[in-house]
Amino acid sequence: MRQLQDMGHQCLGRAVFANLRSCDRSPARRGGYGPLSTNRGRCFPSQADLYQAVASQLVTHVLDDLDIADDSRDPATRLYDCLKQFVPQSNEQMQALTGWAELNRLALGGDAGVVEILKSGHRASEEALLRWFGTLAGQGHVAPADVEAHVTRVLALIDGLNLELFLFPDRVDLAAARTALRWFAERIIS
């Protein structure tokens, strides 16, 4: 199953989400699996399960805990370093933003598989944020009672920044997005 997840990840990454419905079979064929060995019951119970596994892998691959636990460093800087992983790097900015926008467009159009991908990615992002804020709360830098509210705020901030980067790059560039993330990190650390 892990090999099929990796192939699905490759398919999603290359196709920029253009043909999500074929991702459970075409990467399997490229990996040498025939029609009988790609039976969904044997690999993934449903196409939605494949999407969820791939989306979770994509987010997990992108988000790292970095040195969030290193209490010898400034906690706002550690948080900022983790948060900036949510905005594209300059050399991949348009490709990443285009893929993100396409996923949202397809989800708004009612594609259930894409909705599952977005939900899975959201859950994986939320889990990373809960880990980071939980670590900071354990060190006394964030009130434990505020952790869930901060996660909600970050998710809204990230979605808003990525939308602005995509739609209005002349108004909000990568530097402005990172400045907003730094400002947020500095305001919530106690």
Side-chain angles (χ1 to χ4, degrees):
M1 184 173 335
R2 174 71 182 171
Q3 188 177 13
L4 193 56
Q5 274 182 291
D6 291 342
M7 288 183 285
H9 176 263
Q10 291 170 6
C11 176
L12 284 174
R14 254 194 326 276
V16 190
F17 314 108
N19 189 3
L20 293 171
R21 296 191 187 285
S22 68
C23 286
D24 61 340
R25 301 257 193 250
S26 62
R29 281 192 293 273
R30 285 195 300 274
Y33 293 91
L36 296 176
S37 61
T38 59
N39 179 315
R40 286 186 183 141
R42 293 179 60 195
C43 296
F44 291 92
S46 69
Q47 189 168 5
D49 290 329
L50 172 65
Y51 291 158
Q52 183 173 355
V54 171
S56 180
Q57 171 110 14
L58 284 169
V59 172
T60 303
H61 177 73
V62 172
L63 298 177
D64 191 327
D65 289 347
L66 302 174
D67 60 350
I68 193 71
D70 182 0
D71 208 14
S72 70
R73 292 189 61 224
D74 174 62
T77 300
R78 289 183 280 147
L79 179 58
Y80 165 72
D81 287 345
C82 288
L83 294 179
K84 71 182 180 183
Q85 296 176 90
F86 282 102
V87 294
Q89 302 301 307
S90 59
N91 62 344
E92 63 187 27
Q93 184 171 1
M94 285 315 293
Q95 179 183 6
L97 287 175
T98 300
W100 176 83
E102 179 64 9
L103 274 178
N104 282 280
R105 185 189 68 75
L106 291 170
L108 290 171
D111 188 315
V114 176
V115 169
E116 286 304 312
I117 288 174
L118 289 175
K119 284 181 178 179
S120 181
H122 178 85
R123 283 188 297 271
S125 297
E126 187 176 35
E127 289 169 7
L129 289 165
L130 285 169
R131 250 188 346 268
W132 301 341
F133 282 110
T135 298
L136 294 170
Q139 296 171 343
H141 302 298
V142 174
D146 294 339
V147 167
E148 287 189 28
H150 288 323
V151 168
T152 299
R153 290 178 186 116
V154 168
L155 290 170
L157 176 62
I158 295 300
D159 283 345
L161 287 173
N162 280 316
L163 185 61
E164 291 288 317
L165 283 165
F166 183 73
L167 293 176
F168 308 107
D170 54 326
R171 185 174 68 196
V172 177
D173 61 7
L174 193 55
R178 288 185 174 175
T179 298
L181 292 173
R182 183 175 292 283
W183 179 90
F184 178 83
E186 291 171 350
R187 297 304 173 278
I188 64 165
I189 296 297
S190 55

